[in-house]
Amino acid sequence: MVSCKPMKKDFISALQKQLQTPQKIVVIPHKNPDGDALGSTLAWMLFLQKNKHDAVVISPNDYPDFLKWMPAQDQILIFSQNESSVENKIQEADLIFTLDFNSLSRIDQLGSLVADSKAIKVMIDHHQEPDSYAQLMYSDTEMSSTCEMIYKLIHTLDASSITPEIASCLYTGIMTDTGSFRFPSTTAATHKAIAHLIECGADGTAIHQNIYDSSSFNRLKLLGIALSNLNQIPGLPIVYIQLTQKELNSCDYKKGDTEGFVNYGLSLDGVVFSCIMIENENEGKIKMSFRSKGDFSVNDFARTYFEGGGHHNAAGGMSTTSMEETVQRFKKAVEEVKNQFH
Ligand code: 5GP
Ligand code: MN
């Protein structure tokens, strides 16, 4: 028997009420959107457009080249490149959907525009500890991905409306957030959703190739540098990688090039916690990614030590100190939690 939490009926009926007549709608993914953030926002935008709404996706900033094949991505408005038209859209919106994040801090300066807007805000998300900025909320931390939540939602509202484009968007986010259907969040319901999305026209092989077999030569060289920088914390099942701006520059770094590097640490026998620290000179900070296997909560770790958060086994954070100091702070933090590893 597969148990699967039903979507709350009051959420569905409140949403249906809001969507009865054509509305002006903005759909927002988190900053540095990944496959799940873009897949869910684009699929939801396409569904809304099909239902006669005036819907647009507004991304806080640009996204990696390996997502630039996605259906309808040419309609995305990027805030950092179109500030005044984005401001207008948000001011005029009747409804704002925020997808794949649960705190307005995850969309930088867009956050205050959203907070000040008169629009009804709807959050659809699977991260832990949601903030309470939205009037309507569909939050389920057990879901594999926001795309699986949007699949459930569209399936409930009108299962016959899943076009090949919507199916491809949703397949993409489920695939990327589940590590190609292998993380523990992957359930029988996830596979059933995927099976249906294939029936609706998603081409799994093509999507996989677009995302994972589209690396540049430089990106693979950068992976080589990252792997040669791999360090282990003595006596603990923990590894970390540092990448400096200089190293990124030496491989002509482009947005998205380091996606997935942190997972290599977890491929080591016995390792259950992996971290990557990536310098961003422009923003004056170090972006940190954390991944774990089993009981250790990187969500808690990121929140406690590095101003971040995310999921139990995948989270992010940041540091504004130098790389050397960040590594020292990471080691100190690990020392404080080390009894969780025995
Ligand atoms: P990544 O390491 O791939 O950037 O992020 C891993 C997971 O943690 C993603 O689900 C992402 O949305 C979330 N995440 C990344 N950075 C942050 C952060 O600074 N704050 C919070 N709350 N979540 C984050
Ligand atoms: Mn997600």
Side-chain angles (χ1 to χ4, degrees):
M1 221 348 231
V2 182
S3 76
C4 180
K5 255 202 245 166
M7 220 179 312
K8 288 204 176 76
K9 281 209 186 73
D10 49 354
F11 173 78
I12 291 287
S13 51
L15 187 61
Q16 276 172 323
K17 211 167 142 202
Q18 294 301 328
L19 297 175
Q20 259 166 5
T21 54
Q23 303 289 311
K24 291 197 186 82
I25 299 177
V26 166
V27 188
I28 306 179
H30 57 75
K31 189 186 174 195
N32 297 323
D34 54 12
D36 188 33
L38 278 193
S40 58
T41 50
L42 287 169
W44 188 236
M45 176 192 81
L46 288 168
F47 174 82
L48 292 169
Q49 289 175 346
K50 218 167 165 272
N51 287 279
K52 310 275 183 291
H53 299 288
D54 172 2
V56 65
V57 170
I58 293 176
S59 176
N61 63 347
D62 202 0
Y63 45 96
D65 283 351
F66 66 79
L67 296 172
K68 292 207 166 150
W69 59 272
M70 291 188 72
Q73 58 92 24
D74 54 331
Q75 295 182 41
I76 297 174
L77 263 180
I78 297 175
F79 174 56
S80 53
Q81 297 168 8
N82 306 275
E83 290 196 12
S84 61
S85 50
V86 165
E87 276 172 32
N88 285 338
K89 287 271 180 202
I90 290 187
Q91 270 158 17
E92 287 168 8
D94 302 309
L95 280 163
I96 297 178
F97 287 87
T98 67
L99 268 52
D100 200 35
F101 65 95
N102 61 20
S103 156
L104 292 180
S105 64
R106 298 278 286 130
I107 53 174
D108 283 358
Q109 294 98 313
L110 256 185
S112 56
L113 292 179
V114 171
D116 293 345
S117 133
K118 64 174 193 331
I120 293 183
K121 285 126 209 158
V122 188
M123 178 204 295
I124 302 176
D125 180 59
H126 66 137
H127 292 88
Q128 301 198 343
E129 301 173 55
D131 283 356
S132 53
Y133 59 83
Q135 285 92 326
L136 287 177
M137 252 170 90
Y138 172 27
S139 165
D140 186 346
T141 58
E142 284 171 24
M143 288 295 261
S144 70
S145 52
T146 304
C147 277
E148 190 176 339
M149 300 172 81
I150 293 289
Y151 169 80
K152 261 179 97 168
L153 184 56
I154 296 181
H155 195 266
T156 306
L157 294 172
D158 179 8
S160 69
S161 67
I162 304 179
T163 60
E165 290 74 27
I166 292 176
S168 300
C169 290
L170 295 178
Y171 188 106
T172 300
I174 298 175
M175 179 188 80
T176 54
D177 260 32
T178 58
S180 299
F181 321 113
R182 73 184 202 279
F183 295 155
S185 59
T186 311
T187 62
T190 314
H191 283 286
K192 281 181 187 158
I194 283 295
H196 187 214
L197 293 171
I198 292 171
E199 284 166 359
C200 292
D203 180 344
T205 307
I207 292 171
H208 198 278
Q209 281 177 3
N210 282 335
I211 303 263
Y212 296 115
D213 302 337
S214 58
S215 178
S216 65
F217 193 77
N218 274 323
R219 179 188 171 275
L220 224 51
K221 299 279 276 188
L222 187 62
L223 174 61
I225 295 175
L227 293 179
S228 64
N229 288 350
L230 185 73
N231 278 293
Q232 183 150 21
I233 305 273
L236 288 171
I238 303 172
V239 295
Y240 64 94
I241 292 171
Q242 300 148 251
L243 275 177
T244 63
Q245 186 72 57
K246 212 167 149 201
E247 288 167 322
L248 298 169
N249 294 347
S250 76
C251 294
D252 192 23
Y253 169 80
K254 300 226 162 34
K255 199 175 199 65
D257 279 354
T258 54
E259 198 79 33
F261 285 9
V262 65
N263 295 319
Y264 283 88
L266 283 190
S267 68
L268 285 162
D269 190 18
V271 166
V272 296
F273 178 22
S274 171
C275 164
I276 190 166
M277 306 173 216
I278 302 169
E279 190 177 22
N280 184 332
E281 239 169 28
N282 238 349
E283 294 186 5
K285 62 187 182 197
I286 291 169
K287 157 81 189 146
M288 312 191 57
S289 284
F290 308 104
R291 299 291 184 271
S292 67
K293 273 185 190 164
D295 292 342
F296 184 69
S297 168
V298 285
N299 172 54
D300 291 345
F301 186 85
R303 273 174 202 273
T304 309
Y305 299 105
F306 293 103
E307 297 171 55
H311 306 286
H312 181 80
N313 290 132
M318 62 126 175
S319 161
T320 47
T321 57
S322 69
M323 183 62 90
E324 291 72 35
E325 230 173 289
T326 302
V327 171
Q328 288 315 315
R329 287 203 298 125
F330 175 71
K331 287 182 174 169
K332 201 160 159 258
V334 159
E335 186 62 28
E336 287 180 25
V337 297
K338 73 174 180 195
N339 56 8
Q340 293 185 46
F341 294 95
H342 297 299

